[in-house]
Amino acid sequence: MELTTVWFVAIATLWTGYFVLEGFDFGVGMLYRVLGRNEPERRAAISTIGPVWDGNEVWLIMAGAATFAAFPEWYATLFSGFYLPLFAILVGLILRGVALEYRGKRDEPVWRSRMDAMIVVGSLLPALLWGVAFGNIVRGVPLDADHEYVGSFGTLLNPFALLGGLTFVAVFVTHGAIFLALRTTGDLRVRANRLATRTGALAAVLAIGFLAWAQALRGDTVSVGIAIAAVVAFAGGLVANALRREGWAFAGTTFAIGLAVVSLFVALFPDVMPSTLDPGSTLTAVEAASSAYTLKVMTIITAIFMPLVLLYQGWTYWVFRQRVVVA
């Protein structure tokens, strides 16, 4: 396998890890005011992601840095064309991070209410816009012969991309509700379990529609098979949740999100930014890649340090694996 393909797979893996891990973070952020009926329950909900949310965002940083280094032209085309939605995502992540860190600094209802609003908005906005962004990447955007984006912000708000945004939100809400059921106790756990069942049905319908549309646009036999496996995993997670088997339910939604993202990247390859104006203007992985020497050096460095990152993050989840008690 040539290094260009290796790094396309590596970036797909980083995005997959990001959406699997940050997905339940977003879900908890969107839900905890709904499920938490009082301050102790809200603190418990926030505590489930408190030790891990910032570590989960490292996957986004690594994905962006890897794209910049391995595929600089992809990075330039993507960030110039998607500047406004990506800026809005960044603002949302900043709001959420600040609120998570400072919510408990004052014991004032007004202060906590403002921080709660920032957490909800900072979770909902990135989830929605990541779905819109990836929908446009798969669908394609107007690129000229120089691989420069020539559309507008309104161009990105097409039906397929908007469906992607709604799908990401619904799936992450379900993923987060199952995570809360897995990590909490008492009435909060029961309500999270019930909510996951209700939102899961809607998420399943949206996910099937989005994945089917994506595969119709540019899928092949392999990507279709992976997408079907994602739907099966999600259905299995919902069945496990209905049976109050939260561990299996969370595994189901985890595999579903991971497989769904992989199916999108498999359908996209070997392109990285398809053009809707002219197939000849489509940016491919080979055209966007850095030099062979750069990719070789990056591969060596990643092979050394990536296992250490995975071990550390795995250890963090192991240490904080116990359920959070509402008190």
Side-chain angles (χ1 to χ4, degrees):
M1 185 184 296
E2 62 177 355
L3 290 180
T4 300
T5 304
V6 168
W7 274 97
F8 183 90
V9 172
I11 289 171
T13 301
L14 290 171
W15 280 111
T16 300
Y18 173 68
F19 286 130
V20 166
L21 297 175
E22 193 83 304
F24 69 76
D25 275 0
F26 289 149
V28 171
M30 287 184 278
L31 286 176
Y32 88 103
R33 283 287 298 187
V34 175
L35 291 173
R37 294 179 175 176
N38 50 52
E39 182 57 26
E41 288 187 344
R42 291 167 190 160
R43 284 200 306 267
I46 291 296
S47 296
T48 63
I49 62 173
V52 298
W53 70 267
D54 47 356
N56 293 342
E57 290 191 351
V58 171
W59 288 79
L60 173 61
I61 296 171
M62 292 192 298
T67 304
F68 174 78
F71 299 100
E73 193 165 355
W74 185 10
Y75 182 94
T77 301
L78 179 65
F79 276 73
S80 60
F82 292 25
Y83 178 81
L84 285 177
L86 292 177
F87 179 77
I89 288 172
L90 179 61
V91 171
L93 294 176
I94 292 173
L95 289 176
R96 187 178 70 122
V98 170
L100 286 170
E101 291 293 337
Y102 286 91
R103 184 182 187 276
K105 300 299 182 181
R106 291 186 184 178
D107 191 16
E108 300 173 5
V110 174
W111 171 264
R112 287 180 175 173
S113 178
R114 290 173 179 172
M115 295 298 104
D116 289 347
M118 289 169 61
I119 292 172
V120 173
V121 172
S123 299
L124 174 60
L125 188 63
L128 177 67
L129 292 180
W130 278 131
V132 171
F134 268 79
N136 278 292
I137 292 172
V138 173
R139 173 183 175 271
V141 292
L143 301 179
D144 63 16
D146 295 322
H147 302 138
E148 293 184 2
Y149 180 76
V150 294
S152 63
F153 177 70
T155 306
L156 301 177
L157 303 179
N158 55 81
F160 176 69
L162 292 175
L163 176 60
L166 294 176
T167 301
F168 272 48
V169 170
V171 170
F172 289 165
V173 164
T174 304
H175 195 40
I178 291 175
F179 181 76
L180 280 175
L182 176 65
R183 292 295 315 283
T184 56
T185 60
D187 291 340
L188 180 58
R189 175 187 177 186
V190 173
R191 290 197 299 274
N193 178 273
R194 291 174 179 170
L195 183 63
T197 298
R198 293 195 294 269
T199 60
L202 175 61
V205 172
L206 292 173
I208 291 171
F210 177 67
L211 291 176
W213 196 346
Q215 298 307 316
L217 286 173
R218 58 183 65 258
D220 56 23
T221 303
V222 176
S223 63
V224 169
I226 297 173
I228 292 173
V231 173
V232 171
F234 195 75
L238 295 182
V239 171
N241 181 72
L243 298 174
R244 300 290 299 275
R245 301 295 298 273
E246 290 103 343
W248 286 107
F250 187 69
T253 54
T254 294
F255 278 107
I257 294 171
L259 290 169
V261 176
V262 169
S263 75
L264 297 179
F265 275 99
V266 171
L268 185 64
F269 187 78
D271 302 332
V272 292
M273 289 292 290
S275 174
T276 57
L277 296 180
D278 178 10
S281 300
T282 292
L283 182 62
T284 66
V286 173
E287 292 172 329
S290 293
S291 66
Y293 178 76
T294 299
L295 296 179
K296 182 178 180 180
V297 172
M298 289 176 61
T299 303
I300 294 172
I301 294 174
T302 303
I304 295 172
F305 290 103
M306 190 62 179
L308 299 177
V309 173
L310 293 175
L311 285 172
Y312 175 78
Q313 191 160 31
W315 176 79
T316 302
Y317 275 94
W318 176 256
V319 169
F320 295 101
R321 68 188 183 278
Q322 300 298 326
R323 290 182 182 270
V324 176
V325 178
V326 177

